[in-house]
Amino acid sequence: MDAFNTLIANLSLGFATAFTLQNLIYCFVGCLLGTLIGVLPGIGPIATIAMLLPATYALPPVAALIMLAGIYYGAQYGGSTTAILVNLPGESSSVVTMLDGYQMARKGRAGAALSVAALGSFLAGCFGTLILAAFAAPLAELAFKFGPAEYFSLMVLGLIGAVVLASGSLIKAIGMIILGLLLGLVGTDVNTGVSRFAFGIPELSDGIGFISVAMGVFGFAEIISNVDMKGTRETFTNKVEGLILSWKDFKEALPAIIRGTGIGSLLGILPGGGALLAAFASYTIEKKIGKNPQPPFGQGNIRGVAGPESANNAGAQTSFIPLLTLGIPPNAVMALMVGAMTIHNIQPGPQVMTSNPALFWGMIASMWIGNLMLVILNLPLIGMWVQLLKVPYRILYPAILMFCCIGVYSVNNNSFDVLITVLFGVLGMMFLRFGCEAAPLLLGFILGPMMEENLRRAMLLSRGDPSVFLTRPLSLTMLLMALAMIVIISLPAISKKREATFVEE
Amino acid sequence: MKIKNYQDFYAGMMFLIFGTLAAWLSTSYNMGTGARMGPGYFPFYLGVILAVLGVIILVMALGVNDGKEHPVSLKPLVVFIAMMVFSLLAGLVGASPNASLAIGTIAGCVLSFFIGMPAMGLILLSVTLFGLMLKGLGLVICVTGLVIISSLASHERRRNEIIASVVILCATAVGVFVYGIKLQMPVWPDTQELGRMFVPAEKRK
């Protein structure tokens, strides 16, 4: 009962922080902007956050983080709208929504698909927020027991988890992580003051800006390959009607929403988990449950939208847990959040909760408010998003480009960052052509300096004995888990199945 | 030995090159010992691991064909190398880091046209010019240039649409960024800044 009372006390502090007029407005603006950019085809949450991050620099830390969280949910919800109406995923996690969502839209049930997506996201978001609030404190307690060796092993586990659970070639993804770690080391070494890989360029002594990396590899490369692609896309242009769900639809969707929420919350906490995996897992389960679904999956079954949409939102919510309690970003979106927090001089980790409780609980409360706003915002505004989707890409991309450019430039007010971003744009194109996924690179990029720091400290404490990672039980457990993941995924039977899951669906 | 999967083959080569480069550059920093790591220690081993991974991927790409198509293109790699080489050359003849990088990226963008990636060339060129000229020419002219040049990359461009985009986006940029969130950017050309851009620092006094 005591824990429950603390939880209530914490949450009320959070709501008191989030419910100021100013923060509500930022939350609203974040959701609106996030949806606005996220709804654009081919732009996922990573690119959206990178693009809008500069807009939050001038805000106080609490407001900035609240707005960023809003942008994240908005972007994710916008991505589902695009998936349902245009059959073009804005991000990988809406690929699943597309399967049945677009079919529903073609059968004239776009309204029902959008509503169930909104409802599922909202319910999942509420639950995810509660989980986050409940688990944050105990996990942060645990985090205080972590030494540098544990942190290092945890990061190894997180990085391995991120590639094992992602699609595509495992070994290439590990390569991308290491490349990211190396890029993260560019600049002045904090321990010795030596400038590394900077070639005597003063602008590089602070390292490569993570906005440049994210914007170049995700933003520019995406835009270029979209423009290069010929052919037209089929846009759903009819008026969206029937937003109110029928009782029958609701009855069918609710169990799927509950299952999706459960799976999503669980998978979101795992290192490397998050929205994408949650959506895939939920879709697979929905397909297995119940015989002879009407209509069949892939042809517009409402459960195929409700489950994955709830799962990806719950996963998005709970993936904040490792970030806020351990200070370790579990996926590329959270890696961007670390960057954003650092800009506001907040070192993510267990100490945030004790040193800055208003910020911590305010952010959690604002997540719930953000979810509520998305429902209020998106269903009535759906007509506006449809209009936006009708704007041809040739008109949209120069506008997107402009926001990117101003965003990158305004970070340091210099042209050097813009030029570096151009370089990363070319690199991003190269990765695309070589079939290398870029998300692990970004995760490695953020974790690089943290990993080196913890490795250094752990080795210093053990006087250079590397067995410290194996003799400390927590550290050993995490390394064994990482090893187990690699072994399991490399088994021929599983790797074939894994490939099939990502290809067929 | 025949290459079966070109995507993996080149990806492996890329990792091998980056890894070797990183390890080699790290040797110029103090390595230190395991207990007291120098700045070279961590990047050196990362570089070695990356290079080894690269070799593994390379070798695996030579293996059995999985019967799938793996469309690959070396063009972005060529452009990237060109950008690096031109930047280095410019740096060697004494250009400032910023100017060297600018020369490198512009050269790479121009090269993109000649090797059949005009869209990439135009889009990245528009961004480069925007970044370089913003301080001197101001937001309005730079946004105009950015929109016009990047729009040319599309196959289905239309003149009237571009003109409308320019007007709307200029107004949005100035309204939102300069008056809205008050970013420090010039709206109109600034002759002093322009002069500073083209006259080397030592001659200014």
Side-chain angles (χ1 to χ4, degrees):
Chain A
M1 227 39 221
D2 210 30
F4 183 72
N5 285 337
T6 351
L7 180 65
I8 296 293
N10 286 332
L11 279 181
S12 46
L13 169 68
F15 277 102
T17 315
F19 257 116
T20 61
L21 183 64
Q22 182 207 14
N23 287 344
L24 278 177
I25 290 175
Y26 284 125
C27 187
F28 173 77
V29 171
C31 285
L32 187 70
L33 285 179
T35 319
L36 187 75
I37 308 278
V39 101
L40 303 176
I43 297 196
I46 301 176
T48 310
I49 295 176
M51 224 180 271
L52 293 173
L53 191 57
T56 65
Y57 286 167
L59 304 180
V62 181
L65 287 177
I66 286 176
M67 185 165 157
L68 275 171
I71 290 171
Y72 177 34
Y73 306 137
Q76 214 161 33
Y77 190 79
S80 329
T81 309
T82 318
I84 291 170
L85 295 178
V86 198
N87 203 24
L88 237 177
E91 36 150 343
S92 37
S93 67
S94 15
V95 173
V96 192
T97 308
M98 215 167 76
L99 300 169
D100 280 279
Y102 184 63
Q103 294 304 327
M104 282 181 79
R106 289 187 64 178
K107 290 180 178 161
R109 309 216 315 135
L114 288 166
S115 293
V116 84
L119 181 73
S121 296
F122 175 67
L123 291 179
C126 294
F127 185 71
T129 307
L130 269 182
I131 297 265
L132 175 52
F135 278 84
L139 259 177
E141 286 290 311
L142 180 71
F144 281 120
K145 295 202 180 89
F146 275 29
E150 280 78 13
Y151 267 111
F152 182 80
S153 304
L154 180 67
M155 284 184 231
V156 172
L157 175 64
L159 287 173
I160 297 293
V163 295
V164 166
L165 303 174
S167 57
S169 158
L170 182 66
I171 186 162
K172 278 201 274 185
I174 298 180
M176 291 299 273
I177 285 186
I178 298 181
L179 191 55
L181 290 171
L182 279 167
L183 286 171
L185 296 182
V186 173
T188 311
D189 172 32
V190 278
N191 277 37
T192 54
V194 175
S195 187
R196 290 185 289 188
F197 308 122
F199 310 103
I201 300 170
E203 284 90 343
L204 278 182
S205 61
D206 281 340
I208 302 171
F210 77 99
I211 301 257
S212 295
V213 179
M215 202 89 97
V217 172
F218 288 93
F220 289 1
E222 278 301 321
I223 293 176
I224 293 168
S225 54
N226 282 341
V227 171
D228 249 347
M229 228 169 6
K230 283 171 197 160
T232 48
R233 54 172 206 257
E234 187 188 354
T235 310
F236 184 83
T237 43
N238 297 345
K239 211 165 179 270
V240 178
E241 275 167 346
L243 280 172
I244 313 262
L245 284 178
S246 70
W247 177 241
K248 184 178 157 284
D249 281 342
F250 183 75
K251 245 183 4 199
E252 213 182 326
L254 192 64
I257 290 177
I258 294 172
R259 283 191 291 266
T261 304
I263 297 162
S265 310
L266 199 67
L267 291 178
I269 309 177
L270 290 185
L276 170 68
L277 178 74
F280 269 110
S282 160
Y283 191 74
T284 315
I285 288 180
E286 287 310 317
K287 252 169 90 176
K288 294 236 162 77
I289 287 177
K291 292 186 177 70
N292 293 326
Q294 279 310 323
F297 278 91
Q299 293 179 25
N301 191 305
I302 197 164
R303 271 165 47 209
V305 179
E309 271 304 302
S310 320
N312 89 31
N313 213 38
Q317 209 76 259
T318 52
S319 62
F320 271 97
I321 294 180
L323 174 73
L324 291 175
T325 56
L326 306 172
I328 309 268
N331 55 39
V333 175
M334 291 302 126
L336 277 177
M337 284 293 194
V338 173
M341 289 169 103
T342 328
I343 284 171
H344 288 285
N345 275 328
I346 305 162
Q347 188 62 45
Q351 70 286 349
V352 175
M353 204 185 305
T354 41
S355 67
N356 208 340
L359 176 117
F360 184 87
W361 295 104
M363 197 169 150
I364 290 183
S366 79
M367 289 177 186
W368 184 79
I369 298 173
N371 276 300
L372 182 68
M373 272 186 188
L374 275 182
V375 177
I376 302 174
L377 187 71
N378 278 298
L379 292 180
L381 285 183
I382 199 73
M384 198 175 111
W385 307 137
V386 173
Q387 291 305 317
L388 190 66
L389 280 172
K390 282 190 201 159
V391 178
Y393 197 67
R394 61 172 186 274
I395 299 179
L396 283 179
Y397 79 84
I400 301 171
L401 220 48
M402 180 194 84
F403 283 101
C404 289
C405 285
I406 295 180
V408 175
Y409 186 89
S410 63
V411 176
N412 287 319
N413 262 323
N414 69 16
S415 54
F416 191 82
D417 286 351
V418 182
L419 298 175
I420 288 284
T421 315
V422 168
L423 266 186
F424 274 96
V426 179
L427 272 178
M429 285 302 286
M430 191 164 103
F431 297 150
L432 278 177
R433 292 288 183 267
F434 291 172
C436 298
E437 262 192 279
L441 178 99
L442 192 62
L443 195 52
F445 178 77
I446 297 280
L447 283 177
M450 283 193 225
M451 239 179 138
E452 182 182 29
E453 186 58 30
N454 282 297
L455 177 68
R456 242 182 202 162
R457 273 194 226 150
M459 294 287 271
L460 184 67
L461 290 176
S462 75
R463 301 206 173 80
D465 179 10
S467 69
V468 62
F469 297 105
L470 304 176
T471 47
R472 297 182 60 121
L474 265 174
S475 161
L476 178 69
T477 318
M478 285 186 280
L479 287 180
L480 284 179
M481 275 162 71
L483 188 69
M485 276 205 255
I486 292 191
V487 170
I488 292 173
I489 220 76
S490 319
L491 295 176
I494 306 239
S495 74
K496 244 183 224 134
K497 196 161 181 188
R498 171 172 172 265
E499 223 167 75
T501 322
F502 283 113
V503 174
E504 168 218 341
E505 316 207 340
Chain B
M1 210 55 160
K2 206 166 178 289
I3 302 166
K4 296 289 168 62
N5 183 337
Y6 278 93
Q7 263 195 353
D8 280 8
F9 182 80
Y10 291 124
M13 200 152 74
M14 172 182 84
F15 288 138
L16 178 61
I17 293 170
F18 277 130
T20 317
L21 207 64
W24 176 62
L25 286 170
S26 304
T27 52
S28 63
Y29 312 122
N30 179 21
M31 293 289 277
T33 61
R36 290 203 171 272
M37 287 181 198
Y41 194 94
F42 192 54
F44 176 78
Y45 286 103
L46 282 182
V48 171
I49 297 173
L50 187 60
V52 171
L53 276 178
V55 172
I56 297 175
I57 298 171
L58 256 173
V59 172
M60 277 166 50
L62 298 173
V64 196
N65 199 339
D66 54 5
K68 274 184 242 147
E69 286 269 326
H70 296 282
V72 72
S73 162
L74 281 181
K75 288 169 187 172
L77 177 66
V78 172
V79 173
F80 181 72
I81 293 176
M83 285 184 174
M84 285 314 207
V85 170
F86 277 101
S87 302
L88 263 176
L89 287 179
L92 286 180
V93 297
S96 72
N98 206 17
S100 316
L101 195 57
I103 291 166
T105 44
I106 292 176
C109 293
V110 174
L111 180 72
S112 308
F113 289 103
F114 293 108
I115 61 169
M117 293 199 84
M120 184 168 95
L122 281 167
I123 289 177
L124 293 182
L125 184 67
S126 71
V127 174
T128 307
L129 292 178
F130 178 92
L132 285 176
M133 305 308 289
L134 186 57
K135 217 169 238 170
L137 289 181
L139 202 53
V140 172
I141 294 180
C142 282
V143 168
T144 307
L146 177 83
V147 174
I148 292 176
I149 298 175
S150 66
S151 293
L152 293 177
S154 171
H155 303 285
E156 23 184 48
R157 54 179 180 263
R158 289 172 202 171
R159 200 177 55 189
N160 291 347
E161 281 177 3
I162 298 179
I163 295 172
S165 290
V166 165
V167 174
I168 295 171
L169 289 178
C170 281
T172 316
V174 174
V176 172
F177 292 105
V178 179
Y179 293 103
I181 56 177
K182 300 205 164 42
L183 292 183
Q184 295 296 315
M185 312 188 156
V187 178
W188 302 109
D190 178 339
T191 41
Q192 265 188 333
E193 262 312 322
L194 273 175
R196 231 172 276 160
M197 281 175 67
F198 293 104
V199 181
E202 54 270 24
K203 288 189 191 157
R204 244 180 260 150
K205 295 159 201 160

